[in-house]
Structure formats: structure tokens, C-alpha cells
Amino acid sequence: MAQRMEVKSVISGDSLLLREAHGNPPKERVLHLADITAPRLGNTTREDEPWAYEAREYLRTRVVGKPVTFTVAHSLSSNDDTPRDIGSVEMLGTDIAAQLLKAGWAKLKETKREPTEADQKKRELETEAKNAGKGIWNPHGPKAHAIHYTMPEDSHSFITEWKGKSIDGIIEQVKDGSTLRIRLILPDGDHQFVNITLAGVRSPRVASKPDETSEPFGEEAKFFTETRLLQRQVTVHLLSLPNATATPFQSSAASAPAPASIFIGTVIHAQGGNIAEHLVANGLARVVDWHAGMLAAGGAMERLRQAERAAKEKHIKLYASTAAPAAKSNGAAALNGNARNFDAVVTRVWSGDQISVAEKDGVKERRIQFSSTRAPKQSDPRQAHYALEAREFIRKKLIGKHVKVHVDFIRPREGEFEEREAATVRYGNQQANIAEQLIEKGLASAVRHKRDDEDRSPDYDKLMAAEQVASSEGRGIHSGKELPAPKQPLNISESSNRATPFVNGFKRQGKISAVVDYVAAGSRFKILIPKDNQVLTLVLGGIRAPRTARNASEKSEAYGAEALEFASRRYMQRDCEFDVHDVDKSGGFIGALYLNKTENAAVTLVREGLATVHSYSADSLPWAKQLYDAEEEAKKAKRKIWSDYDEEAELAVQAPEEEDAGALKTEYQDVIISDIRVGPTGLNFSVQILNTEGIASLEKLMREFSLHHKTVAPTAGFVPKSGDLVSAKFSDGQWYRAKVRRASPIKKEAELTFIDYGNQDTVPFSSIRPLDARFRSLPGQAHDARLSFIKLVGPESEYHQDAMDHFRALCDGRKLIANTDYKEGNLRHLRLLDADEHGTDPLASVNVDLLRAGHAAIDRKGCKYLHAYPHVVKRMQEAVKEAKTGRKGIFEYGDVEEDD
């Protein structure tokens, strides 16, 4: 009895695999054509018989996927559940075996039965084909071609050769909906069998063993692909090897890669298009995100996304329980109370995937993470080089620039990571996505999101495409190079001793290119010199910015926080230039900072009313006039510090100050110099006034002080603060009273001034105690002083050391007579006399001796009271003339201009 089924595939030129047109799964059976034989196809263990492929192709192109009528003549035993029969097959009334004999692709078998009329006709057809040299009877034999049934051994080279090219192929097996075995027909005639997984999708797995169970919809997906592609001619594009979703640095470098067992590619049918899109649209496959890089460039990934959205909306099969995706909003709807879409200025770059921005229309600053982007980690030595390069790439592109920010989602708090806004940041006229550029440079990777994770960048497929480009070209983190971690920059402001040797070199260089690495206060910056890999502290000379609290227990001065914020937003991480003219006692370099080569940061801060001019240090600067003009402008505009400025009141206060510049009443006091030091303003020293009750009291106090510290126990956990009165052990091993100038809880040391002798030193916390109340009543016996009328030659002069030695020889350790010529706050301007050397001459002094030796000059800028002492000044001018005539000190090589 004749039966009707559909041809699923052609096993060889004389055998068909049939299946029912309906049923899930449909029933199948193998049917061998009776009375004929065709060449057998080979496999991994044997080669094709001659003409086997051509015979199979003749039959395949005519019957696959089409209904046929067949009659079973004899049933065979089977090793599986698929029946195996021998019989005849007709299609559209034509006998298939007869067609094969006529075309010369089969032979008649020898039979022992009496030939029938039908047998005679078949014999005639075979004879006719043989005489015509058709098919297997071709006297020239088959065209030579190699057939490789196993995957290429050098899979990397194979992909490199054929990647992106169109290759004709025949689907030989469907393993599951998205995994195929394909015969590639290469241009040189060779055949290469390959296993391919469809790019961008994954269908449910189908059981390969009797004791396994297929995943839901696995069999249906396989049937869907089989009915459309099995043994059909297709066009194949090989795209990649199946690299796992691991990103660079997640595993150690491997040796030579093993041969791949499968490739990733696309399969296009002439009538049906890309089978992957149909699978997704019918809910029989899910989109594979990490394949986006291979598909995004040609729009294929976007078509898969559209198919996925349609399937989710219809809740088809695999997407039956999946909620339809919410429409992505590009508007300014609030997220957690914050604007979601806004213009901003980039104020700081934290890493290769995190920045801080200030909203353009407000003062609010927000720290954001680039969506779906992961930069290398600074903490990992293998990644540190690329982490620094990524951060620098972002800094150069974005710092201080206007950007458009769209917050895509809020990344919730996780472990040690705080909640963070994840956003897409675009900049420039082309509105380029900075994350995409970063990934394309090989300086970051795209995050592998979970399958149904909708919290991702709206440009996610573009990010994956950018990573594909970086990976294929071996850029950055994909290069396979493990570069050594960058060395930490040398901190040359660690101490005054470390900093001082660099001053003269910096002066010779003039303006030096650098980067503002950090802003510590309105006028204090951490500067990085990339070419020398050095960092230093730069203090702006000529100004004073309000002090900023360094910890919770301190309080900022008025406008201190505003000065810090302004300086941070304007200068943080900017390319800059700086120059140096001095160094302070803590190792900070005193100088100027320039933005865009012309903007002087000190002038800008003063103009904004966030700093004041420090006249004593500003007057010697070339840009002093700019500072004073800027301050005058800030005063008139009543900006920040000057918001309560009253010009008339200041003028009223200044008038008596001019009167105070007159000569003071002569009052000689016996003194001894207890400390000598050179600071930013020149020579300073401390004196103790003798023959007073204070000195006698000090001697008594020091005896008690010494006994007290032999018994007092250390104070556990004591942390001195700036301004505290303490007792401290000096380098001579004795305890003295001191005042804290600056303390560092990190270094556990403090800078101190010993109030009874004037010495200054840095002392560890372990050698500092709280000052007992009974030792607090006596005022400090050291008085800060400088020489009146004159200025000792500075460190820049070759005579500086001679001048210092001369001063020490005249004064150090000797009882002197001092007259105070002027008081500048707590600083005394003194004329020093030695009774043995100067006798009773009221105009003789150490000051005059230093001028006469060419070791000092008259200080017309720093001593505005000169006019009040004409006789003293005249004697000093005579001393200067004598030094010039004798070519002494600074006048050794000729005349030197006097300080104006």
C-alpha cells in the first residue's frame, strides 16, 4: 500500500530519510531504493566512493523538503527506533530510481528473479546512460577534490583566512536550533565540514543521549531549523572562535590555543534570510549579548533585538513568562529625585570608568560610572599600567569639558561599593560616547550582563562592537602584553631637606609643564611632573587663601570651603605650568601656577574674592601689580571675603598706621639670641630679654620641668593639634615648652616652635606630652625678631653662607644690647649692639657691620620706617659706600643695584 511522507534528507544516492509532515516530534523512517545502488558517502573513518557526492547532490536538489509517495517491499532490522525499509519512491508520478538510472547516478543490482517489464525498462535506462557516459559512467572520472570531515586543526588560521567572506555551504546536520554541521564548499573545490553556532542567539539544548532530557522547546527549535535548512544550500559567514565571555586579565595567559570544536557564524538562506532572526521572533532562541560585537556593525544585532522585543511583547514560548521591556526613556524624568538627562562639566576623573560632573545649571556635583563599562583596576599589578592609561585618556578628553549625561540606571550598593549612578556620557559636536571610544582603544571592556538584565547602556551593542574591534586588532588590554605596573611618583616635597636641592634647578627651567593631581586647599596644590615622574606640593606665592578644615574636629575659616571648591573645579587634573621661587619649611615649593599658559591662579583667586594679597611676600613678585589690581577689583565688587568690605573705614584705620611708622622711643635691653633661621622672608631669629623676672622664672620653671618629666608617664593615644601648647623633647634630649604649628596624624609627627627659645623642629608624637597646667602661666620667653633697616643677602647669592657665618660670629651665644626700632605684630625689628665692640656710639651696630662687610643691603621695601631714622640711615649709607669702595662681599665684582 502506497504511503505519503516528506523527504527530510538524502543519506546517499540511493537512500532517503523520510518524515511525516505533522506530529511533534514527527515520525521518521529510512527508505533504501529497491534494485539500485549508488556510491556511498564517506565519514571520519573512510573516504567517499567515487561520484558519491555528485550522486547525493543530484538527488538532494530534487527531493529534499518535498512530499513523496512510497511503497515498502521489504522491512529491515534497525538498531534504533527509526524503521528501515526497502521500497520504491515516486514524486509527482515519476519513479525516483528510474530518474537516477537515467541520469547515470546509480546502478542496477543483480537479481535472481525473472526480470519484469519494469526491470527491462530500468535496464534500458542504465544502458542508455552508460553509452552516453553520464554520471558514474563518465570515462574521465570524478573531479578531484579533498573532503575534510573533521574541524580544521589550525582553527585560528582558518578563521583568519575566511572571516567575513561569503562561503557556499550545505547544512548536513541540525544538532539543535542554533547549532549546525555544515559542508563548506571552498572556492578551490575542497569540502570542509565545520560545526557552527549561530551568531547572536542560543536555542535550548537537545538531548544527545537516551538518558538525557531536552531543555524546554529544544526539540521544537531543532525541528524549526531542520524544516527550513537541513540539506539546503546556504551562504555562511564565519565570524569568530567561541571565546568564552571572560574579559582580559580574568585568566592567566594560555599557551598555544587548542583546535576549536565549533565556530561562530551567520547562516543565510536565499529565500528565508537569517535563520537566527526567525528563531528569536518565534520564541525558540534567546539573544546572546556577548556576540553583539560581531554583529552590531552591520545592523544584524539590532534586528535580533527587534525580534526579541516582538517575541517578548507576544509572550511566545521561551518568552512566555518574560515581561515586555519597558521603553527606554531619553527624557529628563527624575531618577531618585535627580535629573536623569542634563548638561554638565567634568570636574574630576577617578578612574577609567568613573568621573565626577557638576551640573551646568547648578552647583551640585555628581559622581557617575560609565554604563556597562569596566576599566582595568589600579590595584591589580597586571592591570595597573592600562588603568593609568585609561584614566589619562579620559582626563585629556573630558576634564573641564562640557558633556551631556543620561543616567541609564542606579547601580545598587553591593559589598564595599556604594550606590552609583550609571550613565552614558557624550561630548563634542558629534556627541561621541566616551565609553565606546575607551573600549575601542582597548582601555576598558564591556560588562557581561545577565541574560534578562535590562540595566545596561542603551549603546550596549556598540560597546560590544568596539570591544570586538579592539580585540581583533590586539589593542590595549587585548594585546596579551603584561606591562609592569607604573612606578609611584617620587614625592620631592616630603621634607624641606628633600625639596631644597630642587629649587635652583626649577628656577633655571622657568615655567615647567605639569598636571594638577590634587587640590588640597585654595592655594595649595599637588603637582605631577609626568616626564620626571615626580610629585610636589605647590603653594601659591604672594597670597593667602582662607584655611580649610583638614578633619572633622577642625573648622574652616570663612570662605575656606568655597576657595577649595573653586580651585578644585578650575584646576583639578588640568594640564598646567608652574614656576618656583622658594621652598617652605615643610617642603612645599612656593611659586605660581598657570592655566592655559596665561592665567595666573593666584591672580584669579584674588579676583574672585577667595584669597587676599600677602604684601610681605607679594611685593617682590613680578606680578605684584596684577595681584593688587585684582584685589582692588574684588573689593569694589564685594566678592566673597570682601562682602562686608567698607573702604572708608579702612582708610580711617590706615591713617594712624602711617603715624605709627615714626621713630620709637629708644629703649636698650640686654638680650641673647636663642635661635637663628632663614625663612621665605629672609633672616629671622629669636631673642630672650635678660635681667627680667621672666628669665628668672624660666630658669626655675625649667628645673621643675625637668624633674616633672622624669616621673610623668606617656599619654596613650595623645594626638596634638595645631595651636596646642605642649611639652616636647628636643634633639638634645631635654624637655621644653612648645607650641604646635602643624600636626600630621598619618606621619605621627608635629612641627613645633619652642616658645622659650624660638627653635623650630619636627618631633614624633611619642616625644610630645600635654603641657601640665602649672607650667602654662609663664609667657613664652622667646621673641621673634629681624634686623632693622637691612636685609641679609639671600640664598640665591654666593655670599649667603659668608653672611650667615658673619652674623653668627657677631651674635651667636653672646650677650647683646638691642633697641626695638619697629614692631610688626609680634615681630620686632632690632638694632643689635655689642658693648665691647661698639662702645657708646649710638649709631654703631651689628646691622652697620654687616653692611660694611658687603653681606647685607638697606631694605627699602621691607622697612617702611626708614624716614623716621635719618641719622641711622645716613650711617648705614656710609657703610654701604665703604663696602663698595673696598669691593667687599656682594660688591666684589663691581656695583650692585641697591634694593628699591
Side-chain angles (χ1 to χ4, degrees):
M1 185 179 71
Q3 302 179 58
R4 190 176 178 85
M5 295 183 80
E6 183 180 280
V7 179
K8 177 181 177 180
S9 65
V10 175
I11 300 172
S12 65
D14 58 6
S15 301
L16 305 175
L17 179 61
L18 307 177
R19 70 174 166 208
E20 292 181 349
H22 304 287
N24 189 18
K27 293 180 179 179
E28 298 180 351
R29 70 194 308 152
V30 174
L31 186 70
H32 301 286
L33 298 177
D35 300 329
I36 68 171
T37 180
R40 296 178 65 195
L41 290 169
N43 53 33
T44 57
T45 59
R46 69 168 189 271
E47 295 184 355
D48 283 12
E49 292 179 354
W51 300 109
Y53 170 71
E54 290 80 359
R56 199 285 300 263
E57 282 298 280
Y58 176 84
L59 188 55
R60 179 191 68 79
T61 56
R62 284 161 176 73
V63 301
V64 168
K66 297 178 181 179
V68 294
T69 303
F70 67 95
T71 304
V72 176
H74 179 66
S75 294
L76 304 174
S77 60
S78 175
N79 295 327
D80 52 30
D81 294 334
T82 304
R84 303 174 68 85
D85 305 310
I86 298 175
S88 61
V89 178
E90 289 186 359
M91 187 177 73
L92 300 177
T94 302
D95 182 72
I96 297 298
Q99 278 191 322
L100 285 165
L101 290 169
K102 184 178 180 180
W105 293 118
K107 297 180 181 179
L108 277 172
K109 292 179 180 178
E110 294 297 330
T111 60
K112 295 180 180 180
R113 69 172 186 269
E114 286 293 324
T116 63
E117 183 179 349
D119 292 336
Q120 291 290 352
K121 288 183 178 180
K122 288 179 181 179
R123 182 68 65 185
E124 291 173 3
L125 290 173
E126 181 186 48
T127 303
E128 183 181 332
K130 187 184 298 185
N131 293 335
K134 293 182 181 179
I136 61 176
W137 309 112
N138 188 325
H140 302 293
K143 182 179 179 181
H145 57 256
I147 302 177
H148 307 282
Y149 282 98
T150 57
M151 288 283 287
E153 289 188 10
D154 190 349
S155 45
H156 284 76
S157 296
F158 190 83
I159 278 287
T160 302
E161 181 180 359
W162 297 104
K163 183 177 180 180
K165 297 178 182 178
S166 296
I167 310 174
D168 290 335
I170 298 170
I171 307 298
E172 298 288 357
Q173 182 184 359
V174 176
K175 297 183 178 181
D176 60 46
S178 58
T179 307
L180 312 172
R181 181 166 171 80
I182 304 178
R183 179 194 294 259
L184 298 180
I185 303 171
L186 303 180
D188 56 6
D190 289 350
H191 294 186
Q192 174 66 61
F193 279 74
V194 295
N195 300 320
I196 286 184
T197 183
L198 297 178
V201 300
R202 180 191 177 277
S203 289
R205 193 175 62 84
V206 174
S208 58
K209 298 177 182 178
D211 57 341
E212 291 182 349
T213 303
S214 298
E215 293 179 350
F217 302 107
E219 296 288 350
E220 190 172 344
K222 179 181 179 181
F223 179 72
F224 183 91
T225 302
E226 276 184 345
T227 56
R228 289 159 176 80
L229 293 188
L230 184 62
Q231 287 202 336
R232 268 60 162 204
Q233 189 93 20
V234 294
T235 300
V236 179
H237 295 92
L238 298 180
L239 299 179
S240 175
L241 295 173
N243 300 322
T245 58
T247 54
F249 308 117
Q250 288 185 344
S251 59
S252 58
S255 54
S261 60
I262 198 166
F263 293 143
I264 298 172
T266 58
V267 174
I268 309 297
H269 189 274
Q271 283 77 41
N274 189 341
I275 187 64
E277 295 172 19
H278 296 291
L279 282 165
V280 175
N282 285 274
L284 293 172
R286 295 186 185 274
V287 173
V288 177
D289 287 327
W290 74 272
H291 287 184
M294 311 170 196
L295 301 172
M301 198 66 191
E302 179 55 31
R303 290 192 292 274
L304 288 177
R305 297 285 187 201
Q306 292 175 356
E308 182 185 45
R309 284 192 289 272
K312 286 182 177 180
E313 289 170 0
K314 296 176 183 177
H315 301 287
I316 302 174
K317 298 182 175 65
L318 290 173
Y319 300 104
S321 58
T322 303
K328 293 288 184 182
S329 170
N330 289 320
L335 192 66
N336 280 10
N338 294 321
R340 186 164 188 168
N341 198 35
F342 59 94
D343 292 337
V345 175
V346 178
T347 57
R348 186 170 184 180
V349 178
W350 296 94
S351 65
D353 56 15
Q354 285 190 37
I355 61 175
S356 283
V357 298
E359 294 184 32
K360 192 174 180 181
D361 299 327
V363 297
K364 187 172 183 180
E365 193 167 284
R366 295 162 71 169
R367 183 167 172 173
I368 61 175
Q369 168 123 22
F370 298 152
S371 297
S372 303
T373 305
R374 180 175 290 117
K377 295 179 181 178
Q378 183 79 41
S379 57
D380 186 337
R382 293 188 303 160
Q383 304 183 40
H385 172 86
Y386 296 108
L388 192 64
E389 195 173 340
R391 182 172 175 265
E392 183 65 5
F393 177 82
I394 300 296
R395 186 191 71 81
K396 287 185 175 180
K397 288 284 186 182
L398 294 188
I399 195 68
K401 302 291 179 59
H402 292 280
V403 296
K404 289 187 177 295
V405 180
H406 183 268
V407 180
D408 302 314
F409 58 93
I410 301 292
R411 194 189 73 182
R413 178 171 182 158
E414 183 178 344
E416 62 182 21
F417 299 104
E418 296 293 327
E419 179 181 275
R420 186 86 71 234
E421 291 180 314
T424 299
V425 177
R426 304 182 190 277
Y427 75 101
N429 294 331
Q430 303 300 318
Q431 291 298 291
N433 183 344
I434 188 65
E436 183 180 351
Q437 291 186 332
L438 189 74
I439 292 173
E440 192 170 4
K441 289 279 184 182
L443 298 176
S445 59
V447 173
R448 271 53 175 174
H449 291 284
K450 293 180 180 178
R451 187 176 63 198
D452 295 322
D453 184 5
E454 296 295 333
D455 285 343
R456 61 178 68 190
S457 168
D459 289 353
Y460 185 70
D461 292 342
K462 292 181 179 179
L463 300 186
M464 293 297 296
E467 183 170 313
Q468 181 75 13
V469 170
S471 178
S472 61
E473 298 187 8
R475 298 175 185 169
I477 59 178
H478 307 283
S479 66
K481 299 176 183 176
E482 290 194 14
L483 300 176
K487 292 182 179 179
Q488 285 295 322
L490 175 67
N491 182 6
I492 61 175
S493 285
E494 193 175 68
S495 66
S496 180
N497 290 338
R498 170 66 67 84
T500 301
F502 290 90
V503 174
N504 289 334
F506 285 153
K507 285 183 177 179
R508 286 193 298 270
Q509 291 183 64
K511 289 185 178 180
I512 302 167
S513 297
V515 176
V516 178
D517 194 50
Y518 183 69
V519 179
S523 60
R524 196 173 186 88
F525 304 86
K526 181 180 177 183
I527 303 294
L528 170 66
I529 309 176
K531 68 182 181 67
D532 297 325
N533 200 31
Q534 295 172 343
V535 293
L536 58 87
T537 298
L538 180 70
V539 182
L540 300 183
I543 68 169
R544 183 188 181 279
R547 186 171 173 275
T548 308
R550 289 172 292 182
N551 53 58
S553 63
E554 293 185 1
K555 186 177 181 181
S556 296
E557 293 179 355
Y559 297 103
E562 288 87 341
L564 173 60
E565 182 181 7
F566 177 85
S568 296
R569 291 196 179 183
R570 194 168 188 84
Y571 304 115
M572 174 83 83
Q573 295 183 329
R574 305 295 184 91
D575 291 320
C576 68
E577 292 180 319
F578 74 97
D579 58 26
V580 167
H581 53 263
D582 212 339
V583 65
D584 63 22
K585 292 182 180 180
S586 64
F589 291 88
I590 302 171
L593 178 71
Y594 300 93
L595 184 66
N596 301 326
K597 296 188 179 295
T598 57
E599 180 186 327
N600 187 321
V603 175
T604 300
L605 284 163
V606 171
R607 184 179 292 114
E608 293 294 326
L610 293 170
T612 57
V613 178
H614 185 251
S615 300
Y616 190 74
S617 57
D619 289 347
S620 61
L621 299 174
W623 56 88
K625 185 177 185 304
Q626 296 179 48
L627 288 174
Y628 285 117
D629 290 346
E631 187 173 65
E632 195 61 31
E633 180 185 331
K635 286 179 179 178
K636 289 180 179 179
K638 293 191 173 184
R639 294 176 185 150
K640 306 294 191 300
I641 292 173
W642 307 106
S643 58
D644 298 326
Y645 173 68
D646 187 336
E647 185 176 4
E648 293 182 0
E650 183 177 87
L651 291 174
V653 171
Q654 287 177 350
E657 287 182 355
E658 293 297 327
E659 296 174 4
D660 289 343
L664 299 181
K665 181 182 177 181
T666 301
E667 183 182 357
Y668 293 114
Q669 294 176 306
D670 292 335
V671 300
I672 186 168
I673 294 179
S674 56
D675 182 55
I676 299 173
R677 57 192 176 275
V678 178
T681 59
L683 172 67
N684 290 88
F685 52 92
S686 297
V687 298
Q688 289 179 331
I689 301 175
L690 306 177
N691 304 325
T692 63
E693 292 183 4
I695 292 299
S697 300
L698 177 62
E699 291 176 356
K700 179 183 177 182
L701 179 144
M702 290 307 298
R703 288 193 295 271
E704 296 176 359
F705 207 59
S706 178
L707 292 171
H708 171 75
H709 282 87
K710 288 182 179 179
T711 59
V712 68
T715 305
F718 174 58
V719 178
K721 298 182 179 64
S722 178
D724 285 356
L725 284 176
V726 297
S727 59
K729 185 187 289 186
F730 191 57
S731 56
D732 62 0
Q734 300 299 312
W735 290 85
Y736 300 93
R737 299 191 302 168
K739 187 173 184 177
V740 179
R741 297 173 60 238
R742 189 180 291 113
S744 172
I746 297 175
K747 295 183 179 180
K748 296 188 181 301
E749 62 184 24
E751 296 176 20
L752 307 178
T753 298
F754 293 88
I755 63 175
D756 295 313
Y757 299 91
N759 311 65
Q760 295 180 355
D761 198 5
T762 300
V763 179
F765 285 179
S766 59
S767 296
I768 302 175
R769 307 280 188 272
L771 185 62
D772 193 274
R774 59 185 165 136
F775 300 120
R776 290 175 174 264
S777 58
L778 181 67
Q781 296 302 298
H783 302 274
D784 289 338
R786 62 157 288 181
L787 292 171
S788 55
F789 304 107
I790 71 168
K791 182 178 181 181
L792 213 67
V793 295
E796 72 281 356
S797 171
E798 62 181 295
Y799 298 97
H800 173 68
Q801 191 59 49
D802 292 341
M804 290 297 299
D805 292 343
H806 189 187
F807 177 76
R808 286 192 171 93
L810 293 173
C811 304
D812 200 8
R814 303 175 69 175
K815 180 179 177 182
L816 302 170
I817 299 170
N819 180 66
T820 303
D821 294 309
Y822 184 73
K823 290 183 178 179
E824 184 183 353
N826 292 326
L827 181 68
R828 297 171 180 242
H829 291 232
L830 300 180
R831 212 175 337 144
L832 300 175
L833 299 85
D834 187 329
D836 295 334
E837 296 291 333
H838 303 122
T840 58
D841 183 355
L843 298 180
S845 64
V846 169
N847 310 47
V848 173
D849 293 344
L850 290 167
L851 288 171
R852 187 179 293 115
H855 289 152
I858 297 175
D859 187 5
R860 298 185 183 279
K861 286 185 178 179
C863 302
K864 299 180 180 180
Y865 48 85
L866 291 174
H867 65 279
Y869 298 88
H871 298 297
V872 176
V873 173
K874 184 178 180 181
R875 172 64 70 87
M876 293 190 172
Q877 288 173 336
E878 291 171 355
V880 171
K881 186 176 181 181
E882 187 177 336
K884 289 181 178 180
T885 303
R887 292 186 178 275
K888 297 177 181 179
I890 58 175
F891 303 106
E892 181 179 357
Y893 298 109
D895 202 3
V896 176
E897 289 187 12
E898 198 172 346
D899 189 0
D900 295 327

